[in-house]
Amino acid sequence: MTEVRTRFAPSPTGYMHIGNLRTALYAYLIAKKNNGKFILRIEDTDQERYVEGAIDVIYNTLKLVGLQHDEGPDIGGPYGPYVQSQRREIYSQYAKKLIDIGGAYYCFCSKERLDALRQECERKGIPFKYDGHCRNISREEAEERIKRGEQYVIRQKIPATGTTSFHDEVFGTITVSNDSLDDNILIKSDGMPTYNFANVVDDHLMKITHVVRGSEYLSSTPKYNLLYKAFGWEIPTYIHLPLIMKPHGGKLSKREGDASFEDFYNKGYLKEAIINYIALLGWSPGTDEEIFTLEELKQRFSIEGLSKSPAVFDINKLRWMNGEYIRSMSLEEFNELAMPYYKKAIKRQDIDYMKLSRLLQTRTEVLGEIPDNIDFIEELPDYDVNMYANKKMRTDLNNSLEYLKKAYEALQGVDKWDDEHIHEALFKLIAELGVKNGQVLWPVRTAVSGKQFTPGGAIELSSLLGKEETLRRIKIGIEKLSNV
């Protein structure tokens, strides 16, 4: 049985886009589900768009999320080099071979001629297509012109008649008329190959059995198949993935600045949650299950579960899933992950961070939001006194002032400062006053936090802040209310 071999072949043109990472994930899962090999290849033929450091981003991202490649530029393998710019001679040899067998030709058209042709197509309202001007130049004439130093490209010679069909595992059989295809460039004037040529040569030489890529390449696949057929090579299994769309339309695009994996990771989304969510953007397990580890995905993933319909990237669903992962952790694990975010917001040395983590873990969906949710611990914000008025809690500025004064007195008498004794003191006061719980607890919570939304209630926050700081903040609240 032939070994399953998949590849992830990103261009080093920036950050790891969500769509790129999904392609890598699916290619990895298909290989691992079938005990095959997952190959990393860097497609850097577009030197104008090359971004310094982008290759390191690719390595670091794959390593971080656990998509370990079996062959690649950094670890080698039997079919290297795995960087396209280092394979120029290989492409040149195969391009010349393709010319010899009649599948390609030299083209000497100037930029000016092509621009004029493009303008003519625009004037007629038709898509640009090369007119085959150099298609019938003899081999002898072409070689003579090359010797004279004329610039040239090598173009694919598409059959003028007939059709080309191919089968895709997601989209089914697709047939196109050959006369709709362009004689696209295979080797540019600088000697570098285009993606259209390099990916076919590399996939063949690297023995790739399953080609996983975005559906935007469906329209180019007939050209690739004609190259395979011209060389007499076996055509791989095609798996084109549906687009990932924004909630309000338009596809996610790295060029348009849509969020990358790194963006989400730096905001405090967990790598496990991101991978889990991306796995579901175009694939379904056939059940209502949504939470999968990478190991579980290796077992459950199937090509049959892929959809041809565009997937919608829903940030709220990712938030929810991230929250599920956070809640499934042990308290100790959450505390360790949250600590860098605590340190951003809190400089005080007297905070019980495990206590803070107990308050935050069930209320946190994204780690990066922790500093804004706990900044009041370090310093009481200058809040609006009208926050004390809350219809649901049945508080207004007058009764808040009255109950805050009494809470101050009650808390002054607490000897052992912990949740249990603070609770005992405040609920004893509530019983004596004969009022609703919120009429005392809301003013206290507002006074100690200065915020409408907090990771805990009056009792937990008071316990966390300590007796001296709690009483100081309640006193500030009393002063604010007294001055209204």
PDB file of all heavy atoms in Angstrom, residues 360-391:
ATOM      1  N   LEU A 360     -11.705  34.034  39.342  1.00  0.00           N
ATOM      2  CA  LEU A 360     -11.644  34.351  37.920  1.00  0.00           C
ATOM      3  C   LEU A 360     -11.867  33.172  36.984  1.00  0.00           C
ATOM      4  O   LEU A 360     -12.358  33.353  35.870  1.00  0.00           O
ATOM      5  CB  LEU A 360     -10.284  34.973  37.592  1.00  0.00           C
ATOM      6  CG  LEU A 360     -10.128  36.465  37.868  1.00  0.00           C
ATOM      7  CD1 LEU A 360      -8.673  36.872  37.683  1.00  0.00           C
ATOM      8  CD2 LEU A 360     -11.008  37.284  36.941  1.00  0.00           C
ATOM      9  N   GLN A 361     -11.486  31.974  37.391  1.00  0.00           N
ATOM     10  CA  GLN A 361     -11.454  30.865  36.432  1.00  0.00           C
ATOM     11  C   GLN A 361     -12.794  30.628  35.741  1.00  0.00           C
ATOM     12  O   GLN A 361     -12.851  30.449  34.534  1.00  0.00           O
ATOM     13  CB  GLN A 361     -10.984  29.572  37.109  1.00  0.00           C
ATOM     14  CG  GLN A 361     -10.802  28.432  36.102  1.00  0.00           C
ATOM     15  CD  GLN A 361     -10.195  27.193  36.723  1.00  0.00           C
ATOM     16  OE1 GLN A 361      -9.988  27.114  37.937  1.00  0.00           O
ATOM     17  NE2 GLN A 361      -9.913  26.203  35.901  1.00  0.00           N
ATOM     18  N   THR A 362     -13.859  30.636  36.489  1.00  0.00           N
ATOM     19  CA  THR A 362     -15.178  30.377  35.885  1.00  0.00           C
ATOM     20  C   THR A 362     -15.731  31.595  35.155  1.00  0.00           C
ATOM     21  O   THR A 362     -16.723  31.489  34.442  1.00  0.00           O
ATOM     22  CB  THR A 362     -16.192  29.947  36.958  1.00  0.00           C
ATOM     23  OG1 THR A 362     -16.284  30.973  37.949  1.00  0.00           O
ATOM     24  CG2 THR A 362     -15.775  28.638  37.600  1.00  0.00           C
ATOM     25  N   ARG A 363     -15.088  32.740  35.333  1.00  0.00           N
ATOM     26  CA  ARG A 363     -15.591  33.980  34.719  1.00  0.00           C
ATOM     27  C   ARG A 363     -14.717  34.462  33.563  1.00  0.00           C
ATOM     28  O   ARG A 363     -14.966  35.516  33.001  1.00  0.00           O
ATOM     29  CB  ARG A 363     -15.669  35.095  35.771  1.00  0.00           C
ATOM     30  CG  ARG A 363     -16.661  34.837  36.902  1.00  0.00           C
ATOM     31  CD  ARG A 363     -16.508  35.905  37.972  1.00  0.00           C
ATOM     32  NE  ARG A 363     -17.566  35.886  38.961  1.00  0.00           N
ATOM     33  CZ  ARG A 363     -17.529  35.184  40.075  1.00  0.00           C
ATOM     34  NH1 ARG A 363     -16.470  34.426  40.343  1.00  0.00           N
ATOM     35  NH2 ARG A 363     -18.545  35.238  40.940  1.00  0.00           N
ATOM     36  N   THR A 364     -13.683  33.697  33.233  1.00  0.00           N
ATOM     37  CA  THR A 364     -12.725  34.132  32.209  1.00  0.00           C
ATOM     38  C   THR A 364     -12.902  33.332  30.928  1.00  0.00           C
ATOM     39  O   THR A 364     -12.935  32.099  30.961  1.00  0.00           O
ATOM     40  CB  THR A 364     -11.275  33.968  32.718  1.00  0.00           C
ATOM     41  OG1 THR A 364     -11.098  34.800  33.874  1.00  0.00           O
ATOM     42  CG2 THR A 364     -10.275  34.374  31.653  1.00  0.00           C
ATOM     43  N   GLU A 365     -12.999  34.041  29.807  1.00  0.00           N
ATOM     44  CA  GLU A 365     -13.046  33.373  28.500  1.00  0.00           C
ATOM     45  C   GLU A 365     -11.757  33.581  27.717  1.00  0.00           C
ATOM     46  O   GLU A 365     -11.342  32.723  26.959  1.00  0.00           O
ATOM     47  CB  GLU A 365     -14.235  33.893  27.674  1.00  0.00           C
ATOM     48  CG  GLU A 365     -15.581  33.389  28.176  1.00  0.00           C
ATOM     49  CD  GLU A 365     -16.707  33.704  27.224  1.00  0.00           C
ATOM     50  OE1 GLU A 365     -16.702  34.800  26.618  1.00  0.00           O
ATOM     51  OE2 GLU A 365     -17.619  32.863  27.092  1.00  0.00           O
ATOM     52  N   VAL A 366     -11.124  34.755  27.914  1.00  0.00           N
ATOM     53  CA  VAL A 366      -9.879  35.072  27.212  1.00  0.00           C
ATOM     54  C   VAL A 366      -8.880  35.618  28.225  1.00  0.00           C
ATOM     55  O   VAL A 366      -9.167  36.606  28.918  1.00  0.00           O
ATOM     56  CB  VAL A 366     -10.124  36.110  26.089  1.00  0.00           C
ATOM     57  CG1 VAL A 366      -8.822  36.382  25.340  1.00  0.00           C
ATOM     58  CG2 VAL A 366     -11.197  35.634  25.120  1.00  0.00           C
ATOM     59  N   LEU A 367      -7.724  35.001  28.327  1.00  0.00           N
ATOM     60  CA  LEU A 367      -6.735  35.390  29.339  1.00  0.00           C
ATOM     61  C   LEU A 367      -6.310  36.846  29.220  1.00  0.00           C
ATOM     62  O   LEU A 367      -6.070  37.519  30.226  1.00  0.00           O
ATOM     63  CB  LEU A 367      -5.506  34.487  29.235  1.00  0.00           C
ATOM     64  CG  LEU A 367      -5.720  33.006  29.559  1.00  0.00           C
ATOM     65  CD1 LEU A 367      -4.473  32.212  29.211  1.00  0.00           C
ATOM     66  CD2 LEU A 367      -6.095  32.813  31.018  1.00  0.00           C
ATOM     67  N   GLY A 368      -6.249  37.351  27.993  1.00  0.00           N
ATOM     68  CA  GLY A 368      -5.783  38.721  27.783  1.00  0.00           C
ATOM     69  C   GLY A 368      -6.685  39.781  28.370  1.00  0.00           C
ATOM     70  O   GLY A 368      -6.288  40.947  28.494  1.00  0.00           O
ATOM     71  N   GLU A 369      -7.915  39.404  28.726  1.00  0.00           N
ATOM     72  CA  GLU A 369      -8.849  40.368  29.308  1.00  0.00           C
ATOM     73  C   GLU A 369      -8.719  40.457  30.826  1.00  0.00           C
ATOM     74  O   GLU A 369      -9.367  41.303  31.461  1.00  0.00           O
ATOM     75  CB  GLU A 369     -10.283  39.989  28.914  1.00  0.00           C
ATOM     76  CG  GLU A 369     -10.506  40.107  27.397  1.00  0.00           C
ATOM     77  CD  GLU A 369     -11.848  39.548  26.946  1.00  0.00           C
ATOM     78  OE1 GLU A 369     -12.598  39.046  27.807  1.00  0.00           O
ATOM     79  OE2 GLU A 369     -12.141  39.607  25.742  1.00  0.00           O
ATOM     80  N   ILE A 370      -7.896  39.596  31.409  1.00  0.00           N
ATOM     81  CA  ILE A 370      -7.742  39.584  32.865  1.00  0.00           C
ATOM     82  C   ILE A 370      -7.270  40.925  33.423  1.00  0.00           C
ATOM     83  O   ILE A 370      -7.861  41.437  34.392  1.00  0.00           O
ATOM     84  CB  ILE A 370      -6.807  38.433  33.310  1.00  0.00           C
ATOM     85  CG1 ILE A 370      -7.531  37.091  33.145  1.00  0.00           C
ATOM     86  CG2 ILE A 370      -6.334  38.624  34.749  1.00  0.00           C
ATOM     87  CD1 ILE A 370      -6.654  35.880  33.434  1.00  0.00           C
ATOM     88  N   PRO A 371      -6.218  41.544  32.858  1.00  0.00           N
ATOM     89  CA  PRO A 371      -5.740  42.807  33.461  1.00  0.00           C
ATOM     90  C   PRO A 371      -6.823  43.872  33.586  1.00  0.00           C
ATOM     91  O   PRO A 371      -6.918  44.547  34.630  1.00  0.00           O
ATOM     92  CB  PRO A 371      -4.632  43.256  32.506  1.00  0.00           C
ATOM     93  CG  PRO A 371      -4.099  41.979  31.937  1.00  0.00           C
ATOM     94  CD  PRO A 371      -5.314  41.104  31.768  1.00  0.00           C
ATOM     95  N   ASP A 372      -7.664  44.033  32.562  1.00  0.00           N
ATOM     96  CA  ASP A 372      -8.728  45.043  32.631  1.00  0.00           C
ATOM     97  C   ASP A 372      -9.800  44.675  33.656  1.00  0.00           C
ATOM     98  O   ASP A 372     -10.484  45.561  34.174  1.00  0.00           O
ATOM     99  CB  ASP A 372      -9.390  45.209  31.255  1.00  0.00           C
ATOM    100  CG  ASP A 372      -8.513  45.992  30.292  1.00  0.00           C
ATOM    101  OD1 ASP A 372      -7.587  46.665  30.766  1.00  0.00           O
ATOM    102  OD2 ASP A 372      -8.753  45.910  29.071  1.00  0.00           O
ATOM    103  N   ASN A 373      -9.942  43.374  33.932  1.00  0.00           N
ATOM    104  CA  ASN A 373     -10.964  42.934  34.879  1.00  0.00           C
ATOM    105  C   ASN A 373     -10.506  43.020  36.329  1.00  0.00           C
ATOM    106  O   ASN A 373     -11.333  42.967  37.242  1.00  0.00           O
ATOM    107  CB  ASN A 373     -11.391  41.486  34.567  1.00  0.00           C
ATOM    108  CG  ASN A 373     -12.142  41.388  33.248  1.00  0.00           C
ATOM    109  OD1 ASN A 373     -12.769  42.345  32.817  1.00  0.00           O
ATOM    110  ND2 ASN A 373     -12.093  40.230  32.614  1.00  0.00           N
ATOM    111  N   ILE A 374      -9.203  43.153  36.541  1.00  0.00           N
ATOM    112  CA  ILE A 374      -8.707  43.169  37.926  1.00  0.00           C
ATOM    113  C   ILE A 374      -7.892  44.413  38.246  1.00  0.00           C
ATOM    114  O   ILE A 374      -7.284  44.498  39.318  1.00  0.00           O
ATOM    115  CB  ILE A 374      -7.858  41.914  38.226  1.00  0.00           C
ATOM    116  CG1 ILE A 374      -6.595  41.894  37.337  1.00  0.00           C
ATOM    117  CG2 ILE A 374      -8.660  40.633  38.042  1.00  0.00           C
ATOM    118  CD1 ILE A 374      -5.569  40.861  37.749  1.00  0.00           C
ATOM    119  N   ASP A 375      -7.888  45.408  37.355  1.00  0.00           N
ATOM    120  CA  ASP A 375      -7.052  46.588  37.593  1.00  0.00           C
ATOM    121  C   ASP A 375      -7.454  47.349  38.859  1.00  0.00           C
ATOM    122  O   ASP A 375      -6.647  48.053  39.463  1.00  0.00           O
ATOM    123  CB  ASP A 375      -7.073  47.523  36.383  1.00  0.00           C
ATOM    124  CG  ASP A 375      -8.482  47.933  35.965  1.00  0.00           C
ATOM    125  OD1 ASP A 375      -9.462  47.485  36.598  1.00  0.00           O
ATOM    126  OD2 ASP A 375      -8.595  48.700  34.986  1.00  0.00           O
ATOM    127  N   PHE A 376      -8.710  47.173  39.293  1.00  0.00           N
ATOM    128  CA  PHE A 376      -9.180  47.869  40.498  1.00  0.00           C
ATOM    129  C   PHE A 376      -8.484  47.364  41.762  1.00  0.00           C
ATOM    130  O   PHE A 376      -8.488  48.049  42.800  1.00  0.00           O
ATOM    131  CB  PHE A 376     -10.698  47.682  40.658  1.00  0.00           C
ATOM    132  CG  PHE A 376     -11.113  46.278  40.997  1.00  0.00           C
ATOM    133  CD1 PHE A 376     -11.235  45.870  42.317  1.00  0.00           C
ATOM    134  CD2 PHE A 376     -11.362  45.352  39.999  1.00  0.00           C
ATOM    135  CE1 PHE A 376     -11.606  44.583  42.634  1.00  0.00           C
ATOM    136  CE2 PHE A 376     -11.734  44.058  40.301  1.00  0.00           C
ATOM    137  CZ  PHE A 376     -11.857  43.661  41.628  1.00  0.00           C
ATOM    138  N   ILE A 377      -7.887  46.162  41.696  1.00  0.00           N
ATOM    139  CA  ILE A 377      -7.214  45.607  42.872  1.00  0.00           C
ATOM    140  C   ILE A 377      -5.998  46.458  43.230  1.00  0.00           C
ATOM    141  O   ILE A 377      -5.742  46.737  44.400  1.00  0.00           O
ATOM    142  CB  ILE A 377      -6.807  44.135  42.619  1.00  0.00           C
ATOM    143  CG1 ILE A 377      -8.064  43.269  42.466  1.00  0.00           C
ATOM    144  CG2 ILE A 377      -5.925  43.610  43.753  1.00  0.00           C
ATOM    145  CD1 ILE A 377      -7.778  41.831  42.066  1.00  0.00           C
ATOM    146  N   GLU A 378      -5.279  46.895  42.210  1.00  0.00           N
ATOM    147  CA  GLU A 378      -4.092  47.708  42.439  1.00  0.00           C
ATOM    148  C   GLU A 378      -4.460  49.113  42.899  1.00  0.00           C
ATOM    149  O   GLU A 378      -3.853  49.653  43.820  1.00  0.00           O
ATOM    150  CB  GLU A 378      -3.262  47.782  41.144  1.00  0.00           C
ATOM    151  CG  GLU A 378      -1.993  48.606  41.244  1.00  0.00           C
ATOM    152  CD  GLU A 378      -0.950  47.973  42.156  1.00  0.00           C
ATOM    153  OE1 GLU A 378      -1.041  46.752  42.445  1.00  0.00           O
ATOM    154  OE2 GLU A 378      -0.043  48.699  42.582  1.00  0.00           O
ATOM    155  N   GLU A 379      -5.475  49.684  42.253  1.00  0.00           N
ATOM    156  CA  GLU A 379      -5.850  51.060  42.574  1.00  0.00           C
ATOM    157  C   GLU A 379      -7.334  51.267  42.298  1.00  0.00           C
ATOM    158  O   GLU A 379      -7.830  50.912  41.229  1.00  0.00           O
ATOM    159  CB  GLU A 379      -5.027  52.037  41.734  1.00  0.00           C
ATOM    160  CG  GLU A 379      -5.222  53.484  42.126  1.00  0.00           C
ATOM    161  CD  GLU A 379      -4.295  54.399  41.336  1.00  0.00           C
ATOM    162  OE1 GLU A 379      -3.334  53.902  40.729  1.00  0.00           O
ATOM    163  OE2 GLU A 379      -4.551  55.618  41.326  1.00  0.00           O
ATOM    164  N   LEU A 380      -8.030  51.835  43.248  1.00  0.00           N
ATOM    165  CA  LEU A 380      -9.463  52.100  43.089  1.00  0.00           C
ATOM    166  C   LEU A 380      -9.666  53.153  42.002  1.00  0.00           C
ATOM    167  O   LEU A 380      -9.120  54.258  42.092  1.00  0.00           O
ATOM    168  CB  LEU A 380     -10.050  52.600  44.413  1.00  0.00           C
ATOM    169  CG  LEU A 380     -11.560  52.885  44.418  1.00  0.00           C
ATOM    170  CD1 LEU A 380     -12.351  51.592  44.266  1.00  0.00           C
ATOM    171  CD2 LEU A 380     -11.960  53.614  45.711  1.00  0.00           C
ATOM    172  N   PRO A 381     -10.437  52.822  40.956  1.00  0.00           N
ATOM    173  CA  PRO A 381     -10.645  53.812  39.889  1.00  0.00           C
ATOM    174  C   PRO A 381     -11.537  54.962  40.362  1.00  0.00           C
ATOM    175  O   PRO A 381     -12.283  54.828  41.333  1.00  0.00           O
ATOM    176  CB  PRO A 381     -11.330  53.001  38.778  1.00  0.00           C
ATOM    177  CG  PRO A 381     -11.969  51.847  39.473  1.00  0.00           C
ATOM    178  CD  PRO A 381     -11.117  51.537  40.664  1.00  0.00           C
ATOM    179  N   ASP A 382     -11.463  56.069  39.664  1.00  0.00           N
ATOM    180  CA  ASP A 382     -12.330  57.215  39.967  1.00  0.00           C
ATOM    181  C   ASP A 382     -13.679  56.969  39.299  1.00  0.00           C
ATOM    182  O   ASP A 382     -13.873  57.282  38.140  1.00  0.00           O
ATOM    183  CB  ASP A 382     -11.698  58.507  39.447  1.00  0.00           C
ATOM    184  CG  ASP A 382     -12.533  59.726  39.812  1.00  0.00           C
ATOM    185  OD1 ASP A 382     -13.377  59.610  40.722  1.00  0.00           O
ATOM    186  OD2 ASP A 382     -12.366  60.774  39.152  1.00  0.00           O
ATOM    187  N   TYR A 383     -14.617  56.403  40.058  1.00  0.00           N
ATOM    188  CA  TYR A 383     -15.879  55.948  39.463  1.00  0.00           C
ATOM    189  C   TYR A 383     -17.006  56.957  39.660  1.00  0.00           C
ATOM    190  O   TYR A 383     -16.929  57.862  40.496  1.00  0.00           O
ATOM    191  CB  TYR A 383     -16.271  54.593  40.039  1.00  0.00           C
ATOM    192  CG  TYR A 383     -16.476  54.589  41.553  1.00  0.00           C
ATOM    193  CD1 TYR A 383     -17.734  54.822  42.116  1.00  0.00           C
ATOM    194  CD2 TYR A 383     -15.406  54.333  42.414  1.00  0.00           C
ATOM    195  CE1 TYR A 383     -17.914  54.809  43.495  1.00  0.00           C
ATOM    196  CE2 TYR A 383     -15.575  54.314  43.792  1.00  0.00           C
ATOM    197  CZ  TYR A 383     -16.835  54.552  44.321  1.00  0.00           C
ATOM    198  OH  TYR A 383     -17.010  54.547  45.685  1.00  0.00           O
ATOM    199  N   ASP A 384     -18.062  56.766  38.867  1.00  0.00           N
ATOM    200  CA  ASP A 384     -19.258  57.609  38.922  1.00  0.00           C
ATOM    201  C   ASP A 384     -20.119  57.191  40.111  1.00  0.00           C
ATOM    202  O   ASP A 384     -20.504  56.020  40.227  1.00  0.00           O
ATOM    203  CB  ASP A 384     -20.040  57.460  37.611  1.00  0.00           C
ATOM    204  CG  ASP A 384     -21.256  58.387  37.528  1.00  0.00           C
ATOM    205  OD1 ASP A 384     -21.631  58.976  38.566  1.00  0.00           O
ATOM    206  OD2 ASP A 384     -21.828  58.499  36.429  1.00  0.00           O
ATOM    207  N   VAL A 385     -20.454  58.128  40.966  1.00  0.00           N
ATOM    208  CA  VAL A 385     -21.229  57.818  42.172  1.00  0.00           C
ATOM    209  C   VAL A 385     -22.604  57.243  41.843  1.00  0.00           C
ATOM    210  O   VAL A 385     -23.215  56.522  42.646  1.00  0.00           O
ATOM    211  CB  VAL A 385     -21.352  59.088  43.060  1.00  0.00           C
ATOM    212  CG1 VAL A 385     -22.328  60.079  42.449  1.00  0.00           C
ATOM    213  CG2 VAL A 385     -21.754  58.725  44.482  1.00  0.00           C
ATOM    214  N   ASN A 386     -23.118  57.522  40.646  1.00  0.00           N
ATOM    215  CA  ASN A 386     -24.436  56.997  40.263  1.00  0.00           C
ATOM    216  C   ASN A 386     -24.455  55.486  40.113  1.00  0.00           C
ATOM    217  O   ASN A 386     -25.530  54.888  39.972  1.00  0.00           O
ATOM    218  CB  ASN A 386     -24.913  57.655  38.962  1.00  0.00           C
ATOM    219  CG  ASN A 386     -25.264  59.123  39.176  1.00  0.00           C
ATOM    220  OD1 ASN A 386     -26.045  59.455  40.080  1.00  0.00           O
ATOM    221  ND2 ASN A 386     -24.679  60.010  38.380  1.00  0.00           N
ATOM    222  N   MET A 387     -23.274  54.864  40.110  1.00  0.00           N
ATOM    223  CA  MET A 387     -23.215  53.397  40.064  1.00  0.00           C
ATOM    224  C   MET A 387     -23.884  52.769  41.283  1.00  0.00           C
ATOM    225  O   MET A 387     -24.301  51.613  41.238  1.00  0.00           O
ATOM    226  CB  MET A 387     -21.757  52.921  39.997  1.00  0.00           C
ATOM    227  CG  MET A 387     -21.158  53.015  38.600  1.00  0.00           C
ATOM    228  SD  MET A 387     -19.378  52.653  38.613  1.00  0.00           S
ATOM    229  CE  MET A 387     -19.328  51.088  39.459  1.00  0.00           C
ATOM    230  N   TYR A 388     -23.991  53.518  42.371  1.00  0.00           N
ATOM    231  CA  TYR A 388     -24.620  52.965  43.579  1.00  0.00           C
ATOM    232  C   TYR A 388     -26.116  52.732  43.380  1.00  0.00           C
ATOM    233  O   TYR A 388     -26.722  51.897  44.055  1.00  0.00           O
ATOM    234  CB  TYR A 388     -24.394  53.894  44.774  1.00  0.00           C
ATOM    235  CG  TYR A 388     -22.991  53.815  45.331  1.00  0.00           C
ATOM    236  CD1 TYR A 388     -22.032  54.763  45.002  1.00  0.00           C
ATOM    237  CD2 TYR A 388     -22.633  52.792  46.198  1.00  0.00           C
ATOM    238  CE1 TYR A 388     -20.744  54.699  45.505  1.00  0.00           C
ATOM    239  CE2 TYR A 388     -21.347  52.711  46.721  1.00  0.00           C
ATOM    240  CZ  TYR A 388     -20.408  53.660  46.367  1.00  0.00           C
ATOM    241  OH  TYR A 388     -19.131  53.583  46.878  1.00  0.00           O
ATOM    242  N   ALA A 389     -26.708  53.468  42.461  1.00  0.00           N
ATOM    243  CA  ALA A 389     -28.150  53.327  42.211  1.00  0.00           C
ATOM    244  C   ALA A 389     -28.378  52.160  41.260  1.00  0.00           C
ATOM    245  O   ALA A 389     -27.915  52.167  40.119  1.00  0.00           O
ATOM    246  CB  ALA A 389     -28.712  54.613  41.617  1.00  0.00           C
ATOM    247  N   ASN A 390     -29.069  51.123  41.735  1.00  0.00           N
ATOM    248  CA  ASN A 390     -29.295  49.920  40.943  1.00  0.00           C
ATOM    249  C   ASN A 390     -30.715  49.414  41.198  1.00  0.00           C
ATOM    250  O   ASN A 390     -31.047  48.990  42.301  1.00  0.00           O
ATOM    251  CB  ASN A 390     -28.260  48.857  41.322  1.00  0.00           C
ATOM    252  CG  ASN A 390     -28.315  47.629  40.448  1.00  0.00           C
ATOM    253  OD1 ASN A 390     -29.359  47.017  40.279  1.00  0.00           O
ATOM    254  ND2 ASN A 390     -27.171  47.257  39.898  1.00  0.00           N
ATOM    255  N   LYS A 391     -31.551  49.506  40.170  1.00  0.00           N
ATOM    256  CA  LYS A 391     -32.961  49.118  40.326  1.00  0.00           C
ATOM    257  C   LYS A 391     -33.111  47.671  40.771  1.00  0.00           C
ATOM    258  O   LYS A 391     -33.926  47.344  41.633  1.00  0.00           O
ATOM    259  CB  LYS A 391     -33.713  49.322  39.009  1.00  0.00           C
ATOM    260  CG  LYS A 391     -34.063  50.771  38.719  1.00  0.00           C
ATOM    261  CD  LYS A 391     -34.905  50.858  37.459  1.00  0.00           C
ATOM    262  CE  LYS A 391     -35.242  52.323  37.142  1.00  0.00           C
ATOM    263  NZ  LYS A 391     -36.047  52.430  35.900  1.00  0.00           N
TER     264      LYS A 391
END
